[in-house]
Amino acid sequence: MTNHVFHHSDAGGIRIHVLPTKTFKTYAVSLYAGIPLAEETVTPTALIPFVLRRGTVSYPETTRFRERLEELYGAGFGFDVYKRGDYQIVQFRMDTINDSFVSTKENLLEQSFAFLGEVLTKPALENGSFRSSYVHTERETVRKKLESIVNDKIRYAAERCMEEMCRNEPYRLNALGQRKDLEGITPDSLYQSYQSWLNSVILDLYVVGDTTPEEVEQLVTRYFGLGSRKDAPYQSCFTPKTVSEVKTIEEVMEVGQGKLNMGLRTSITYGDDSYAHMLMYNGILGGYPHSKLFVNVREKESLAYYASSRYDGHKGIATIQSGIEIPNYAKAVDIIRKQLEDIKDGQISELELIQTKAMIRNLLSEIQDSAFEMISYDFNRQLSGKDRSTEELMQQIEATGAEDVKRAAETVQLDTIYFLTGQKEE
């Protein structure tokens, strides 16, 4: 793995991160806009990028907006809305071919900045607020996305488990907002939300490609025009929580297969020196096909259709997802709890360590093959305040032994058991 280093600077109220490289034939541009997750802002914030993608001052009609991307040699433009820790992040992405590979008089990087800057700061308006047709259509889009979660029972169970576990924390909120708040959003109210969002959001702009930090700074100043903003870093509001008793929630719906989810808390987050140990813990527990949950719950006992675990290093939460036959609930809970205890007791084989290291090594080396993956990895540093290259993380993973994983396991506490079931037991 070669070590790629981003150049970090500030300009025009935006933090700028540039990786000059000739490795890729395109420019990858990514703009992250982060704001603390909050009940009153989560829904309008989620809706904003859907409306922004409909049109700008220069390209007010959606068809014209899309044609402009075609004129830029089929530039890619998209966005995502998600949460990292207790922040709601809107990420805009552009992927534009490097001018030297096409015959054009235009500087395509500059044109991409002109386009993205306008998407962010100069939306199409009518009567001083957002176009009502755009707001109504996109409100419907978001509503359908939220409704689709209820229909996808695996996702629904995962969301509900987090809602119950983090009942008094912002993390309970879905990044796409709440259906009940959509109806009340008007073009006027959304435009006001957008203006206050633009003033308070934390902005990080990434560029990977054949350019220089100086060129990018000039383009940001020219096309984003957010000069008076204060550049504030992300605040880590993490406080380890002690679990006094495990919450058990059972919910009845029309399901043929039970969904058993568990929420776990750990004091280890991305900023910790023992983060690598927690990654290894998650890999051995349920991150991969060789993991304990997969082998013991699914294969040996045939208790689950799927069984895996995930770890959010920005929040210090791990989750277990499994799909089971409804009568197997008690047995499945026992076997899953046994896996948690076994790791705490240090029952970790050499093979589990070797296989987990190999899986993480593959993931880390794949980051180097994708400009957007490199950007995504570096953004972890902005969120956590922790500077750790992929090489350093890999060295820490390689150096992790069973004893380190056992120590990480000792910080893990089961917090919530959530079961989505199809019928009440007689």
Side-chain angles (χ1 to χ4, degrees):
M1 284 192 278
T2 47
N3 203 356
H4 293 299
V5 180
F6 281 89
H7 298 260
H8 305 279
S9 61
D10 293 341
I14 299 181
R15 294 189 297 192
I16 297 170
H17 318 278
V18 183
L19 176 57
T21 174
K22 290 184 164 57
T23 308
F24 305 105
K25 290 184 173 173
T26 57
Y27 297 110
V29 180
S30 205
L31 178 69
Y32 291 91
I35 200 165
L37 270 168
E39 179 98 35
E40 55 283 1
T41 55
V42 66
T43 311
T45 299
L47 184 52
I48 286 165
F50 286 89
V51 175
L52 295 183
R53 66 147 181 207
R54 292 300 301 271
T56 67
V57 169
S58 307
Y59 316 106
E61 303 304 325
T62 306
T63 46
R64 186 66 197 95
F65 182 90
R66 292 187 183 140
E67 279 165 5
R68 179 60 187 145
L69 290 167
E70 283 308 312
E71 288 162 11
L72 298 174
Y73 294 86
F77 169 80
F79 69 89
D80 276 317
V81 186
Y82 50 85
K83 62 184 175 189
R84 287 284 178 276
D86 286 333
Y87 280 90
Q88 183 181 15
I89 313 278
V90 177
Q91 178 192 4
F92 296 95
R93 287 183 313 277
M94 279 197 79
D95 200 8
T96 315
I97 196 158
N98 184 329
D99 329 342
S100 54
F101 294 100
V102 289
S103 51
T104 175
K105 298 273 190 294
E106 293 187 295
N107 173 335
L108 291 179
L109 182 62
E110 178 168 359
Q111 294 307 316
S112 298
F113 268 79
F115 185 83
L116 188 57
E118 192 165 306
V119 168
L120 185 71
T121 63
K122 294 178 184 154
L125 303 177
E126 66 184 12
N127 309 324
S129 72
F130 282 132
R131 286 193 166 191
S132 57
S133 62
Y134 291 171
V135 173
H136 292 308
T137 313
E138 298 306 325
R139 229 171 44 183
E140 206 45 32
T141 306
V142 174
R143 194 175 64 75
K144 285 188 178 136
K145 283 183 182 290
L146 287 168
E147 277 174 0
S148 73
I149 296 172
V150 183
N151 300 328
D152 175 351
K153 293 299 184 272
I154 293 178
R155 251 186 94 187
Y156 176 77
E159 290 279 336
R160 286 285 298 117
C161 183
M162 281 303 101
E163 268 176 31
E164 292 291 346
M165 174 166 163
C166 302
R167 204 174 290 167
N168 304 315
E169 300 166 63
Y171 196 76
R172 74 183 184 283
L173 298 164
N174 185 306
L176 278 175
Q178 309 184 83
R179 275 186 298 174
K180 66 178 173 63
D181 295 341
L182 282 168
E183 264 331 288
I185 295 178
T186 64
D188 274 341
S189 76
L190 188 64
Y191 188 58
Q192 285 170 346
S193 297
Y194 155 75
Q195 287 177 305
S196 84
W197 172 79
L198 195 56
N199 284 324
S200 55
V201 77
I202 303 169
L203 291 169
D204 285 276
L205 183 85
Y206 279 86
V207 184
V208 174
D210 191 4
T211 180
T212 62
E214 294 72 28
E215 180 184 22
V216 172
E217 281 173 35
Q218 285 166 2
L219 293 174
V220 167
T221 307
R222 189 175 313 154
Y223 293 109
F224 283 81
L226 296 166
S228 60
R229 288 169 44 87
K230 286 283 166 282
D231 168 43
Y234 285 93
Q235 301 295 324
S236 171
C237 37
F238 178 75
T239 39
K241 292 200 166 34
T242 307
V243 181
S244 49
E245 62 171 321
V246 178
K247 292 196 281 282
T248 303
I249 289 98
E250 193 174 288
E251 189 173 344
V252 180
M253 278 177 114
E254 284 287 309
V255 288
Q257 182 195 95
K259 306 284 179 262
L260 172 60
N261 287 51
M262 296 188 187
L264 314 162
R265 292 190 187 269
T266 168
S267 55
I268 300 171
T269 60
Y270 190 89
D272 278 281
D273 292 337
S274 43
Y275 171 69
H277 304 162
M278 195 60 208
L279 279 186
M280 285 291 291
Y281 169 87
N282 179 60
I284 289 167
L285 174 65
Y288 305 108
H290 67 264
S291 306
K292 286 186 186 294
L293 289 175
F294 195 87
V295 171
N296 294 305
V297 185
R298 187 170 178 265
E299 296 196 331
K300 282 191 187 157
E301 296 288 341
S302 301
L303 276 179
Y305 299 97
Y306 62 90
S308 65
S309 67
R310 286 198 196 100
Y311 167 54
D312 178 345
H314 294 293
K315 181 65 184 165
I317 279 180
T319 52
I320 292 170
Q321 305 72 233
S322 66
I324 60 170
E325 289 293 344
I326 291 163
N328 290 341
Y329 168 75
K331 195 174 178 194
V333 169
D334 287 346
I335 292 185
I336 291 172
R337 290 186 91 147
K338 184 175 187 316
Q339 309 316 307
L340 297 173
E341 289 310 313
D342 283 355
I343 305 184
K344 267 187 187 152
D345 294 341
Q347 293 186 35
I348 299 153
S349 71
E350 193 55 36
L351 184 61
E352 284 173 324
L353 287 169
I354 291 167
Q355 288 178 315
T356 304
K357 286 176 184 182
M359 298 304 271
I360 296 175
R361 192 183 310 120
N362 284 347
L363 286 172
L364 288 174
S365 58
E366 279 168 13
I367 289 173
Q368 309 301 325
D369 304 331
S370 157
F372 285 109
E373 288 293 332
M374 288 199 257
I375 288 170
S376 178
Y377 183 86
D378 191 85
F379 182 58
N380 286 328
R381 172 231 296 257
Q382 311 311 321
L383 278 172
S384 64
K386 176 73 172 180
D387 190 0
R388 183 196 287 117
S389 70
T390 48
E391 287 71 19
E392 286 170 76
L393 182 54
M394 198 56 243
Q395 284 161 8
Q396 290 165 3
I397 293 284
E398 296 291 2
T400 300
E403 202 48 46
D404 301 309
V405 179
K406 178 181 187 296
R407 265 199 306 277
E410 282 160 4
T411 72
V412 175
Q413 308 172 76
L414 177 59
D415 181 300
T416 301
I417 298 173
Y418 170 87
F419 187 46
L420 181 61
T421 179
Q423 79 265 342
K424 280 310 218 188
E425 297 296 316
E426 290 308 317

